[in-house]
Amino acid sequence: MTINKINQPYKNYFKNKINEIKKEYRDFPKISNQIVDDETFFYKRRMKLRNKIIDSLNILANNKIVIIDDFTDINGEQIESTYFIYNNVLLLLNYKKDEKQGQIYYKPVVIKTVLGKLEEYNADEIRTVYDYFNKSDFNGINGGIEFKKFVSLNITVIINKRVGFYLIRSNKQGSTVTKLE
């Protein structure tokens, strides 16, 4: 199991997302280019940190890992967190807003704790997602999942050296779980 193999479904999803943006905004190249540039910047930052965490903790030696990327929009500002859960360990990658000389920066902050303390981070939906994906094989991952609020989550699941990548999106009608190949 390699980091590239773990991240390949995410990379494929990102490429498809960029292509959809370009297609949707083809009549507005300046807007399209700005959106693509922004998305690419956040994607590269996310993947760089994700790779460092996966590599440094040697979590690839574990049989089951759930990585949850949480994207929340609060008043037009995208808040991003990544939860790495393995062997009852919770590793939370968050971004702390920092303002210096009129510039806003988001510094990465990593918190390592036990899975039982997940609720301390006001992450009820993350517990729901973890419980949904915490299975012994991929066949057990099925059915519906409901949330009390709107969510936009990307889930990477590693079970016995096999990788699955899922999207969870919710709207007024409920939530959908989509497995991407």
Side-chain angles (χ1 to χ4, degrees):
M1 176 69 53
T2 65
I3 293 173
N4 283 338
K5 185 175 181 177
I6 289 172
N7 288 329
Q8 192 59 51
Y10 202 144
K11 289 176 185 177
N12 295 343
Y13 163 73
F14 179 75
K15 286 178 188 175
N16 290 337
K17 181 178 179 180
I18 292 300
N19 287 335
E20 287 175 18
I21 291 168
K22 289 178 179 178
K23 188 176 177 181
E24 183 177 347
Y25 292 96
R26 68 179 167 264
D27 294 335
F28 308 98
K30 284 185 179 181
I31 294 172
S32 174
N33 290 340
Q34 184 61 51
I35 294 170
V36 168
D37 288 349
D38 290 349
E39 289 289 335
T40 302
F41 169 79
F42 288 116
Y43 169 79
K44 285 180 177 179
R45 179 185 71 177
R46 185 179 314 119
M47 294 309 283
K48 180 180 175 184
L49 293 170
R50 179 181 168 121
N51 288 345
K52 282 183 179 181
I53 289 170
I54 291 171
D55 189 43
S56 69
L57 295 176
N58 195 23
I59 61 176
L60 297 177
N62 296 287
N63 286 333
K64 190 181 334 178
I65 304 165
V66 178
I67 303 171
I68 304 168
D69 296 301
D70 180 11
F71 307 98
T72 306
D73 192 319
I74 300 175
N75 299 326
E77 182 177 0
Q78 183 171 316
I79 307 298
E80 187 178 316
S81 300
T82 301
Y83 301 81
F84 299 82
I85 305 170
Y86 61 99
N87 287 348
N88 203 34
V89 173
L90 166 66
L91 187 71
L92 169 60
L93 169 62
N94 234 332
Y95 297 91
K96 182 181 177 188
K97 189 175 184 176
D98 190 18
E99 192 169 343
K100 290 184 180 175
Q101 300 173 341
Q103 291 278 44
I104 296 176
Y105 301 94
Y106 290 90
K107 292 182 178 181
V109 177
V110 177
I111 300 166
K112 185 175 182 180
T113 186
V114 295
L115 179 60
K117 295 194 176 191
L118 187 59
E119 287 74 17
E120 289 180 19
Y121 300 98
N122 199 18
D124 293 334
E125 70 277 354
I126 301 303
R127 172 53 96 176
T128 301
V129 170
Y130 177 72
D131 291 343
Y132 182 85
F133 287 100
N134 184 23
K135 308 294 185 219
S136 58
D137 63 44
F138 287 99
N139 294 330
I141 300 172
N142 56 38
I145 187 169
E146 293 301 321
F147 298 97
K148 295 176 185 173
K149 65 180 191 172
F150 294 128
V151 297
S152 178
L153 305 166
N154 297 346
I155 317 298
T156 304
V157 181
I158 299 116
I159 301 174
N160 297 323
K161 308 222 183 295
R162 289 184 50 222
V163 179
F165 185 72
Y166 301 81
L167 302 178
I168 300 178
R169 303 295 187 259
S170 63
N171 57 32
K172 294 177 194 173
Q173 286 76 36
S175 300
T176 57
V177 179
T178 306
K179 182 176 183 181
L180 300 181
E181 299 298 328

